[in-house]
Amino acid sequence: MSGSLLKQATMDASELSRQPSGSSSNLRNLGNGHGRESALQLFVQAKKRINDIFKDIGDYVTEVDTFVKGVVAKGKGGEEEIISPQNAEVVEGFKAKIDGIREVLSRDHMKVVFFGRTSNGKSTVINAMLREKILPSGIGHTTNCFIQVEGSDNEEASLLTEDSNQPKNIQSVKQLASALSSAKLKENALIRILWPKSKCRLLREDIIFLDSPGIDVSPDLDSWIDKHCLDADVFVLVANAESTLMQTEKNFFHKVSARLSKPNIFVLQNRWDVSEMEEDIDKVKQQHIDYNTQFLADQLQVVDRREAKDRVFFVSAREALVSRLHNDTGIPTPDRVLMPGFQARIFEFANFENKFEVCISKSAVKTKFEQHTDRGKSITCELRAAMEQVYTTSNELQEKQHQVQQERAHELDFLVKQLDLLTREVKEKIKVMVEDVERKVASALNDEIRRLSLLVEEFDRPFHPDPMLLNVYKKEMHAHVEQTLGRNLQARCSTALLHGVESTEKQMTDRLSSILPEDTRQQLFNLIPKRDFEIAYRLDCRNLCADFREDIEFRFSFGPTALLQRLLGSKSNAGFLVGTAGTLGQPMSGGGAVPASSVQGLHDNEILTTLLTTFASFTSRTTLGAVAVAGLLAKAAGWRVIAVTGALYGLLYLYERLTWTTRAKERCFKQQYVEYASSKLRLIVDLTSSNCSHQVQQELSSTFARLCHHADITKQHLEEELKQLEAELHRLQEVSSSAKSLRNKADFLDSELNSFCTQYLELDS
């Protein structure tokens, strides 16, 4: 075959492994309908989608946590809790779980682990897939520890070891990982090679490769599996085509299968280029297929026999690596010799890559995201149930609060209406009571005025006409009359009036208590103190009779003046003439109104005064006139009659003059006082009765005001309770609305997770 033909064959095989899925010449039909790029994009897209979903779930959990804390904080001290503190703690715990899941998801990647016996070409296979000679390779036991190749956003490759976070030069991998180096690490150690993603498509697609030491150099396989393999998505067993599967290789994967449920295993029969020199190559190939199929399907039982055949590939990793490293020069092998079957082995390696990428993408999506998706569903389901419970409870509490609000509103409306009605009733009752008090006090006071003479007669104090002693006597008389009248009025009126006041107050209290809530009725009686109410009559006789002027000078009852008074007494009040002898011509004290009878008496008094003045003036002009008159009388009646009459008149005068003692003066004083005080007291009957009725009115009004104050307190409490109920209803409505919205968000997130499952987790295997 010519050199141009060799170059063309090499380039065809090399380009085939890198063809996009949309190319007509790619191997998409070998990957169950997925090209390599689309297959790897499945994991990338799924990872982005699940991260976006869990970001929304994280925001949702934070929102629920804030909402629940607010509900718990505002509901403290209430009789009923919308959500218990225990449930709030559970919600808070979800936040930490979601944060943990998001952290794991951000680190998740597709992981493929290469195992096999020493010098079977594991590192060469990885280098061929990466199209770079990254891992040390060679004859014999080369790789001494685990080497993990992962993508980095940096343009410079670097190396990390377990004992340090300080990046090292990539060239040090030969000293650290090579079994031939004196500075080699332990077999269980891990070296991480951070290779620029821009240089490798597979690393850009979030795949990491793990190379292992030969499984035949260490018996500590269990620790290998536990430390490095439990998160693997695909295992690639690199076998030597020159021999069958060894028991060491089988034992390793039996251990893997015991720890992982149906691990994805590919078998590469490497160095198949050597078999081209052998006879019966087809029989040898079939023998390898049968042995591998029996191991995968019958012994491990990870796939069925049909699929097991598709997991076995006959390749030459060295040829694939060399062709990819030198595809620009067209040199298929270092010695420029094209081995028989070269093109078929290149195609087989590309076929392996195609199926590997489809398998690892689907497997990684399932193994990495299925558990997180189920956990996300569980969290959203629990949060939805919690929000549903909050929504239901808040609605129930709203109904209860609304009923309580209506009851309180009816109570308040009833109280206001009844208070208005009671106020009108009490005002009418107080009006009737006041009128009755005024009438009774006026009647009793008039009776006492009529009996004033008896009351004055009861006054027994030493009487003396001396002006100084008489002033003391009058003061004591004033006090006696005032006190006695007060006692008599209290005896006649106070008991009945106080009973009426107490009865009215009790009626008001009972009437008001009937419209107050039961729990405040007893408080009403406790808060209304019992007061000793007494009616003060306030007669104040001392000031009332301050202008009283007594006339206890001797007046002959048959003197000319007295006879004229008797003569005029038929036309006027004689008693007034006698009683006012000492006050004739004096004005009434106090500036009060003068009765009509007093006006008539004053008019007659003026006539009498005029007559007496004229008579006195006439008789005093001359003694001759008096003699003339006496002579006329003597001539008419005779001197004897005149003498007897004069003697009798003189004896009568002498008798009256001798009987005008202190006792008589006291009687005259008391009589004058009774008449004067009676006239003055009659002037204040209306005033006193009004004063007493006003006191009763004040007592009843103040009592009703205190009762109404307590009713106002109850009314205020009802209004405040209504405001609190309104605020609580508003809060419950907000809680209900928020809970409903959060419940619907949980439904949306659950649908997003279901959509993710349908799109990525329920793909055909």
Side-chain angles (χ1 to χ4, degrees), residues 481-696:
V481 170
E482 183 176 343
Q483 293 174 2
T484 308
L485 279 178
R487 285 196 302 268
N488 292 344
L489 288 175
Q490 286 181 348
R492 295 186 60 179
C493 301
S494 294
T495 302
L497 294 179
L498 292 177
H499 178 74
V501 170
E502 292 178 359
S503 177
T504 304
E505 289 179 342
K506 186 177 184 306
Q507 291 176 9
M508 289 191 298
T509 305
D510 293 340
R511 179 74 172 82
L512 182 62
S513 65
S514 65
I515 65 175
L516 293 179
E518 293 184 2
D519 56 345
T520 60
R521 291 178 183 175
Q522 186 58 42
Q523 298 178 10
L524 179 66
F525 294 99
N526 295 335
L527 292 176
I528 301 300
K530 298 298 182 181
R531 300 197 309 169
D532 296 331
F533 171 65
E534 292 290 341
I535 298 177
Y537 295 95
R538 300 186 183 91
L539 298 175
D540 197 10
C541 290
R542 181 176 179 180
N543 291 326
L544 189 66
C545 299
D547 292 338
F548 170 67
R549 297 294 181 267
E550 72 284 349
D551 183 9
I552 56 175
E553 296 296 328
F554 175 72
R555 297 285 188 274
F556 182 45
S557 59
F558 292 98
T561 303
L563 291 176
L564 286 175
Q565 289 177 346
R566 286 189 177 89
L567 180 62
L568 297 175
S570 60
K571 296 181 180 180
S572 60
N573 192 346
F576 173 80
L577 294 175
V578 175
T580 58
T583 60
L584 224 55
Q586 296 179 1
M588 298 296 289
S589 64
V594 181
S597 59
S598 299
V599 174
Q600 180 63 35
L602 289 173
H603 179 66
D604 293 340
N605 229 5
E606 290 176 0
I607 297 172
L608 177 59
T609 303
T610 303
L611 291 175
L612 292 176
T613 303
T614 303
F615 179 76
S617 175
F618 174 75
T619 55
S620 62
R621 289 180 182 178
T622 177
T623 306
L624 182 61
V627 173
V629 173
L632 290 175
L633 290 176
K635 187 176 182 180
W639 290 104
R640 188 174 291 175
V641 175
I642 293 173
V644 173
T645 302
L648 292 175
Y649 189 80
L651 289 173
L652 183 59
Y653 175 82
L654 181 62
Y655 172 75
E656 287 189 4
R657 187 69 183 86
L658 292 175
T659 57
W660 188 251
T661 61
T662 302
R663 185 64 179 172
K665 293 178 181 180
E666 183 181 4
R667 285 196 302 270
C668 181
F669 174 86
K670 288 183 177 181
Q671 184 180 5
Q672 294 174 16
Y673 183 84
V674 168
E675 292 177 356
Y676 184 84
S678 296
S679 63
K680 290 294 186 179
L681 289 172
R682 287 190 182 93
L683 297 178
I684 64 168
V685 168
D686 293 339
L687 179 62
T688 304
S689 60
S690 298
N691 181 42
C692 293
S693 63
H694 181 70
Q695 294 178 56
V696 172

Side-chain angles (χ1 to χ4, degrees), residues 303-551:
V303 290
D304 57 27
R305 297 186 66 85
R306 181 186 63 80
E307 188 176 357
K309 294 179 181 180
D310 293 334
R311 295 290 181 93
V312 182
F313 300 90
F314 297 86
V315 299
S316 173
R318 185 176 65 88
E319 288 180 342
L321 174 61
V322 171
S323 66
R324 292 178 178 183
L325 290 176
H326 302 279
N327 64 348
D328 292 335
T329 61
I331 301 176
T333 59
D335 56 0
R336 297 177 179 266
V337 176
L338 181 62
M339 299 296 293
F342 165 73
Q343 187 175 8
R345 288 189 293 276
I346 294 297
F347 271 86
E348 184 78 351
F349 197 88
N351 187 23
F352 155 69
E353 287 181 317
N354 184 288
K355 291 188 177 181
F356 155 78
E357 291 177 8
V358 172
C359 178
I360 194 173
S361 183
K362 290 183 178 180
S363 175
V365 168
K366 189 173 183 64
T367 57
K368 296 295 190 300
F369 303 144
E370 184 175 35
Q371 183 179 4
H372 297 324
T373 303
D374 293 340
R375 187 60 183 141
K377 285 183 178 181
S378 174
I379 291 175
T380 56
C381 181
E382 291 186 45
L383 290 178
R384 187 197 184 283
M387 293 302 98
E388 181 68 28
Q389 182 264 330
V390 172
Y391 176 72
T392 303
T393 304
S394 61
N395 284 338
E396 292 175 353
L397 290 177
Q398 280 187 66
E399 294 180 2
K400 293 181 180 179
Q401 294 283 21
H402 186 64
Q403 292 178 356
V404 174
Q405 184 188 38
Q406 287 183 333
E407 292 175 0
R408 295 297 179 270
H410 291 159
E411 289 180 11
L412 180 60
D413 183 64
F414 174 77
L415 179 61
V416 171
K417 291 180 178 179
Q418 289 298 316
L419 274 177
D420 185 61
L421 179 62
L422 178 59
T423 301
R424 291 196 297 269
E425 291 178 359
V426 169
K427 285 182 178 179
E428 185 64 27
K429 189 179 291 294
I430 291 176
K431 179 181 177 182
V432 173
M433 184 71 179
V434 166
E435 292 175 351
D436 183 59
V437 169
E438 189 170 354
R439 184 174 58 255
K440 288 182 177 180
V441 172
S443 176
L445 185 55
N446 283 323
D447 290 344
E448 289 300 320
I449 291 173
R450 286 191 290 269
R451 296 177 60 251
L452 187 59
S453 59
L454 297 177
L455 187 148
V456 172
E457 286 298 327
E458 293 175 357
F459 181 70
D460 187 14
R461 294 290 188 277
F463 180 83
H464 197 280
D466 182 78
M468 293 184 62
L469 296 178
L470 193 59
N471 286 333
V472 175
Y473 185 84
K474 282 195 291 185
K475 291 180 181 179
E476 293 179 351
M477 175 69 79
H478 296 329
H480 169 74
V481 170
E482 183 176 343
Q483 293 174 2
T484 308
L485 279 178
R487 285 196 302 268
N488 292 344
L489 288 175
Q490 286 181 348
R492 295 186 60 179
C493 301
S494 294
T495 302
L497 294 179
L498 292 177
H499 178 74
V501 170
E502 292 178 359
S503 177
T504 304
E505 289 179 342
K506 186 177 184 306
Q507 291 176 9
M508 289 191 298
T509 305
D510 293 340
R511 179 74 172 82
L512 182 62
S513 65
S514 65
I515 65 175
L516 293 179
E518 293 184 2
D519 56 345
T520 60
R521 291 178 183 175
Q522 186 58 42
Q523 298 178 10
L524 179 66
F525 294 99
N526 295 335
L527 292 176
I528 301 300
K530 298 298 182 181
R531 300 197 309 169
D532 296 331
F533 171 65
E534 292 290 341
I535 298 177
Y537 295 95
R538 300 186 183 91
L539 298 175
D540 197 10
C541 290
R542 181 176 179 180
N543 291 326
L544 189 66
C545 299
D547 292 338
F548 170 67
R549 297 294 181 267
E550 72 284 349
D551 183 9

Side-chain angles (χ1 to χ4, degrees), residues 206-217:
D206 222 4
I207 295 180
I208 65 172
F209 295 84
L210 183 65
D211 191 13
S212 64
I215 58 177
D216 54 344
V217 299

Side-chain angles (χ1 to χ4, degrees), residues 214-270:
I215 58 177
D216 54 344
V217 299
S218 175
D220 195 12
L221 298 181
D222 290 330
S223 64
W224 287 15
I225 296 171
D226 293 338
K227 184 175 181 180
H228 302 290
C229 302
L230 294 182
D231 60 342
D233 300 295
V234 170
F235 293 88
V236 178
L237 172 59
V238 181
N240 190 346
E242 298 181 72
S243 64
T244 59
L245 289 178
M246 304 298 292
Q247 191 62 40
T248 303
E249 298 167 323
K250 292 181 179 181
N251 289 340
F252 173 78
F253 281 101
H254 276 296
K255 292 178 180 293
V256 170
S257 181
R259 287 170 171 78
L260 299 176
S261 176
K262 293 185 178 182
N264 293 299
I265 301 174
F266 287 84
V267 179
L268 293 184
Q269 293 290 343
N270 195 21

